[in-house]
Amino acid sequence: MIRKSAFALAAGMFAIAGCAAFAQSGDPAPANRTVTTPEGALMNVNADLAYKPGELTQEQLMSSTRELMAMDAMNVFRRFPRGKTEEMQKFYVDALALRSLSPIQLTSTQQMILTGVGKAQIKLSAGQQGNRKYNLEGGVKGGTGIRYFALSYPDRQTVIDRFKAAGLPAPHFVDQGNGTEAALVKDPGEFPIQIVIRPGAKDSSNDGVGVGISVSNLEKSRAFYREFVGLDELPPVTDKLLGLTLYPYRNGETTLYLYHAGDNLPQDNGSAGIQYVVKDSPMADAKAKARGIAVETPLNKLNGFDLITVWLNDPDGVTNYYAQVGPNSRTARGKN
């Protein structure tokens, strides 16, 4: 069953603005109220958006959210200190050569910088307010949460030349032993980016993005992304550069790489997050509640964007943000 308000997107359409809400841990049961994102966008929480008890079958409630997805990829967002905005834009657009898209004006003073990676986007969001945790010390292995993005390119020298032209040190590439080379760099906010040189790859990572997620419990996290989210589970791979065994989970052009780097690591659930463009956010909300999955920000409408969203957390608090776009949204109008 799909709610009458669901709006089916054509495949390949870009997604709407992603912005991270204040954590709502300890809040009372969902009611009609307004919450504010760290970027200043207002979201109207409305309990009436939810499915009513008994409206859905047990089979609907216990199936994955994959059937709800309206895009053959996932968006990711990256939140950083506000003072780094100009440097971040230069890094992602000039050095990494990602497609620069029209920004989203969230408030009179705040923009969401959008960059394209194939069908999806990396959304750059200035501001680290709220009670999310930010800790990128130790790099890829230093904590739990999203710890790196992986971007692919066909030619090493072109990447080196772009970094030099942007006034940045040239990446140092390592042979991965599988026909690829890889280098690890950091964006101006100290977030790691793995650059992979792969024959046949599209330039500017226009065939998608990888998302490295350090988890505290592999069994729980793998079950979450396989059984609840419903991503395609691929065979484990060894990453020579990172010194890790990775467990890939894919939706089209976007692959999540889960790994365990150690026990009792500090948490970072704020620096980056995942966004799914879906046909029915209330259905995702109902499925989450049926499985006891943490709902961080309840069902809401985002003012000015014709969106219904719900913010869920994976076992380590990584944002899994489900966004349903309406016919008057920027995405539906084809304005990227």
Side-chain angles (χ1 to χ4, degrees), residues 215-226:
V215 305
S216 58
N217 185 307
L218 270 171
E219 183 178 351
K220 288 182 179 180
S221 293
R222 293 180 69 188
F224 175 86
Y225 287 103
R226 177 181 62 241

Side-chain angles (χ1 to χ4, degrees), residues 5-300:
S5 58
F7 183 82
L9 291 177
M13 186 175 287
F14 289 124
I16 42 74
C19 50
F22 279 128
Q24 301 297 320
S25 57
D27 276 1
N32 296 340
R33 69 187 192 279
T34 299
V35 295
T36 306
T37 74
E39 299 79 16
L42 297 178
M43 302 159 72
N44 294 324
V45 173
N46 188 339
D48 292 337
L49 294 170
Y51 282 95
K52 302 299 185 289
E55 195 173 352
L56 299 174
T57 67
Q58 187 70 7
E59 182 180 2
Q60 288 173 310
L61 290 172
M62 298 310 293
S63 62
S64 78
T65 64
R66 182 63 172 270
E67 64 189 21
L68 306 177
M69 294 185 188
M71 188 171 68
D72 195 26
M74 293 103 79
N75 297 316
V76 292
F77 58 85
R78 165 80 180 95
R79 193 179 302 132
F80 57 90
R82 193 171 300 280
K84 298 286 186 180
T85 300
E86 186 174 345
E87 295 174 66
M88 289 286 284
Q89 186 162 5
K90 183 179 180 67
F91 178 83
Y92 281 88
V93 174
D94 294 346
L96 293 177
L98 304 188
R99 298 194 323 277
S100 180
L101 307 175
S102 299
I104 293 289
Q105 195 70 37
L106 290 174
T107 72
S108 60
T109 59
Q110 176 66 32
Q111 284 187 334
M112 176 80 72
I113 301 168
L114 303 183
T115 61
V117 282
K119 297 174 182 176
Q121 298 172 0
I122 295 176
K123 304 166 183 288
L124 306 176
S125 172
Q128 295 180 323
Q129 304 174 52
N131 60 1
R132 281 198 164 270
K133 297 179 180 179
Y134 299 86
N135 189 336
L136 293 174
E137 293 183 8
V140 170
K141 299 179 181 179
T144 61
I146 296 178
R147 304 301 291 189
Y148 72 92
F149 294 152
L151 302 174
S152 57
Y153 299 81
D155 182 69
R156 175 179 60 180
Q157 191 59 49
T158 299
V159 172
I160 291 173
D161 291 344
R162 286 170 178 160
F163 269 72
K164 289 181 176 179
L168 298 171
H172 174 68
F173 288 93
V174 172
D175 187 344
Q176 291 278 72
N178 59 358
T180 70
E181 297 176 273
L184 197 64
V185 299
K186 290 183 178 181
D187 73 16
E190 296 298 310
F191 184 81
I193 303 292
Q194 185 183 46
I195 301 173
V196 180
I197 306 300
R198 185 180 70 248
K202 294 182 180 179
D203 197 18
S204 304
S205 205
N206 265 328
D207 39 15
V209 60
V211 183
I213 307 179
S214 173
V215 305
S216 58
N217 185 307
L218 270 171
E219 183 178 351
K220 288 182 179 180
S221 293
R222 293 180 69 188
F224 175 86
Y225 287 103
R226 177 181 62 241
E227 297 165 15
F228 175 71
V229 181
L231 304 181
D232 299 330
E233 185 175 49
L234 306 180
V237 296
T238 299
D239 190 297
K240 181 178 178 181
L241 175 67
L242 303 181
L244 293 167
T245 298
L246 307 176
Y247 296 84
Y249 291 82
R250 183 176 65 194
N251 173 30
E253 293 181 348
T254 310
T255 303
L256 308 183
Y257 294 100
L258 308 187
Y259 62 93
H260 180 72
D263 298 323
N264 303 313
L265 296 176
Q267 183 183 39
D268 185 316
N269 58 17
S271 294
I274 306 164
Q275 181 193 60
Y276 311 102
V277 180
V278 297
K279 297 175 286 189
D280 192 350
S281 290
M283 180 71 83
D285 171 72
K287 291 175 183 289
K289 290 174 180 175
R291 291 175 182 257
I293 289 168
V295 178
E296 178 187 327
T297 303
L299 280 169
N300 63 82

